[in-house]
């Protein structure tokens, strides 16, 4: 009797109860997933062929190739390290071209999707027309923008790439647009949230001194959200680098292309050379955005 | 110059700004604009006659096959969609979801585990409270080395994209669902470990110092102090990462694991673009449902903890 009561109390306790339910949900979800996928730990032991591949591959982790491993290399091929650098350059070019498009769409749609653009007037007291616009048109605009953003985001960049591959054929520009669409959607979503959640102090002060709603938005709200937006853009740039590298698997000349090619030719040392190049690239941008964030927070 | 102008000028000079941030933004801008000149994008070619013809043909083929040469009929459309769903769409969606859930559970356990040795304030000879005796410098160094080793590991698994992990693991483990699950788990373990370490480092230290003062060991602090204090925030990150897991799980199928991506690639190879587009939309729906569930869960956590 006593035990049930204390159990009841523990379960009804607000924080603990919900948390326990969530933990149980996650764990049972995990069990369901393992059963559904037929994930057997015994399958984790690679087949004998797999062991050989694994050993051959991972043993080269500490000795990446400096020169080509192929026995015959055409005389006009650039040295391996130079080629890795070129591939890294292409990866950066694809990523930054995609980011430039994504930023334009992200800012545009982000502004449209932020509700403060429409209802951000803390003083209230608008004329009839403005009130009408605010009540009826604004929700339609930011509502439909949010639907568009959700659609752009919900399809993965690689699937956009496959769609464009089917629609246009292999074209470098279509790879860039494939990355830019979901990234633009994500940027728009996060930007609009950042603007809506930005501190209102400056906006209130501006409004109080008689600035128009547009001025309040552009000079009171957006600058307050700008540091966060910049830091987030850098983080997305890092993600864009990874995506652009992956697009190589679909035939674009970024790092993924050479990784796949070297791996399939069993030149594992070269694979590590390219992998480390990607690693350095990503870590560099990661460090950069981290340093930037630190400076903004302080 | 009037008094007011002087004051304005003074305020302007005193505004908070960072040279580093300024140059970073400028550099990013230059790189972004420059990439359009360096990259061989052939913008004119993109809108050439041939490509536009290709596009119109493609758009025409997106219309469901039984509807292509006739007026729209909802019954036929639904029958067509129902057949694809029954044949592969539904089971592929379940597999995609299962891969993402299995991966995030593994990543959650791994990330929680590795977040401890990656946190500088916890992984030291004297966590949260200076000890009476000064620890030997070599001892101190060993603990610090553990932090950097863990961080190196986390950044390594995080920097390699999921798709690449899956590609490499597929060759090692053979065609089960493991490569996809492990690939997602590894990448997200790196992210969750890093985020978890930041949470640990930003935790209000006084309860932990009190525990240490009572003589708690590292393990005891972790279980009785850090776990309850950081768990909610960690769960927030877990659900946030799960959203990306659902997105990625769709795509990993293209490597041969039978999630949605497999059938998307398959119908593309057979030039059944109508079917491909339908499957893409199914994937989008799955991602949106995942986003919704995740934001519901995060809202609940925020409200109740």
């Amino acid at each position: 009797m006593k035990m049930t009561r204390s159990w009841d109390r523990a379960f009804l306790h607000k924080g603990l109860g919900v948390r326990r339910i969530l933990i149980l949900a996650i764990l049972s979800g995990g069990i369901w997933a393992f059963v559904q996928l037929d994930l057997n730990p015994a399958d984790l032991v690679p087949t004998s062929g797999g062991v050989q591949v694994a050993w051959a591959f991972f043993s080269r982790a500490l000795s990446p190739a400096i020169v080509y491993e192929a026995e015959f290399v055409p005389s006009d091929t650039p040295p391996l390290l130079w080629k890795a650098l070129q591939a890294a350059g292409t990866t950066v070019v694809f990523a930054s071209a995609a980011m430039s498009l994504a930023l334009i769409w992200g800012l545009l749609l982000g502004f449209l999707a932020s509700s403060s653009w429409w209802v951000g007037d803390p003083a209230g007291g608008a004329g009839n027309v403005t009130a009408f616009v605010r009540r009826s048109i604004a929700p339609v605009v930011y509502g439909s923008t949010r639907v568009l953003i959700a659609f752009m985001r919900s399809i993965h960049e690689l699937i956009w790439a496959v769609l464009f591959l089917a629609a246009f054929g292999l074209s470098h520009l279509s790879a860039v647009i494939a990355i830019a669409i979901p990234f633009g959607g994500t940027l728009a979503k996060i930007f609009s949230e950042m603007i809506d959640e930005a501190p209102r102090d400056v906006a209130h002060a501006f409004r109080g001194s008689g600035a128009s709603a547009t001025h309040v938005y552009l000079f009171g709200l957006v600058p307050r959200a700008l540091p966060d937006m910049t830091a987030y853009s850098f983080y997305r740039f890092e993600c864009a680098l990874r995506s652009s590298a992956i697009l190589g698997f679909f035939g674009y000349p970024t790092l993924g292309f050479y990784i796949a090619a070297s791996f399939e030719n069993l030149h594992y040392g070269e694979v590590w050379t390219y992998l480390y190049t990607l690693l350095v690239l990503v870590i560099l941008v990661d460090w950069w955005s981290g340093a930037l964030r630190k400076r903004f927070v302080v | 110059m009037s008094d007011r102008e002087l004051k304005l000028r003074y305020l302007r000079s005193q505004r908070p700004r960072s040279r580093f941030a300024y140059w970073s933004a400028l550099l990013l801008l230059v790189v972004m604009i420059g990439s359009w000149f360096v990259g061989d994008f052939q913008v004119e070619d993109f809108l050439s006659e041939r490509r536009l013809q290709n596009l119109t043909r493609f758009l025409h083929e997106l219309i469901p096959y039984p509807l292509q040469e006739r007026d729209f009929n909802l019954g036929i459309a639904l029958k067509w969609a129902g057949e694809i769903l029954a044949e592969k769409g539904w089971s592929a969606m379940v597999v995609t979801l299962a891969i993402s859930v299995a991966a995030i559970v593994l990543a959650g356990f791994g990330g929680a585990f590795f977040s401890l040795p990656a946190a500088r304030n916890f992984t030291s000879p004297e966590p949260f409270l200076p000890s009476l005796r000064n620890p030997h410098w070599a001892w101190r160094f060993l603990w610090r080395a553990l932090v950097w080793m863990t961080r190196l590991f986390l950044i390594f698994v995080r920097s390699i994209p999921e798709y690449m992990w899956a590609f490499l693991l597929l060759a090692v483990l053979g065609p089960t669902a493991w490569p996809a699950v492990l690939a997602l788990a590894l990448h997200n373990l790196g992210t969750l470990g890093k985020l978890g370490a930041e949470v640990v480092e930003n935790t209000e230290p006084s309860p932990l110092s009190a525990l240490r003062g009572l003589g708690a060991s590292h393990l005891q602090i972790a279980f009785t102090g850090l776990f309850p204090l950081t768990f909610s925030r960690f769960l927030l990150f877990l659900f946030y990462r799960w959203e990306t897991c659902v997105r990625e799980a769709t795509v990993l199928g293209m490597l041969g694991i039978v999630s949605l991506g497999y059938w998307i690639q398959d119908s593309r190879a057979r030039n059944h673009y109508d079917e491909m587009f339908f499957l893409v939309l199914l994937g989008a729906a799955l991602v949106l449902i995942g986003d919704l569930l995740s934001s519901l869960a995060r809202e609940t956590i925020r409200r109740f903890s």
Side-chain angles (χ1 to χ4, degrees), chain A residues 167-174 177 252, chain B residues 40-55:
Chain A
F168 292 104
L170 194 72
S171 142
H172 289 187
L173 190 60
S174 64
I177 297 177
Y252 297 102
Chain B
D40 182 23
F41 292 128
Q42 297 167 341
V43 180
E44 314 84 61
D45 169 66
F46 194 69
L47 294 173
S48 67
E49 192 73 19
R50 185 174 54 84
R51 287 201 193 271
L52 286 181
Q53 270 173 12
N54 215 349
L55 179 66

Side-chain angles (χ1 to χ4, degrees), chain A residues 15 19 22 29 33 40 44 46 50 96-97 100 153-154 156-158 162-163 168 171-172 176 242 246 279 288, chain B residues 24 35-36 40-41 46 51 58 98 101 158-159 163 172-173 178 232 247-248 251 268 276 284 291 301 304:
Chain A
R19 206 147 91 173
L22 274 177
N40 186 354
L44 266 183
S96 46
S100 65
R153 256 161 34 83
S154 62
H156 193 279
E157 54 268 22
L158 290 188
V162 169
L163 283 175
F168 292 104
S171 142
H172 289 187
V176 167
R242 277 195 289 256
I246 286 296
L279 216 64
W288 193 6
Chain B
S24 301
S35 66
W36 287 98
D40 182 23
F41 292 128
F46 194 69
R51 287 201 193 271
F58 173 75
V101 173
R158 180 171 80 236
S159 301
Y163 196 84
V172 174
L173 295 172
W178 275 116
S232 296
R247 274 165 58 83
E248 296 289 338
V251 162
R268 187 182 80 92
M276 172 179 93
D291 279 10
I301 298 167
F304 287 102

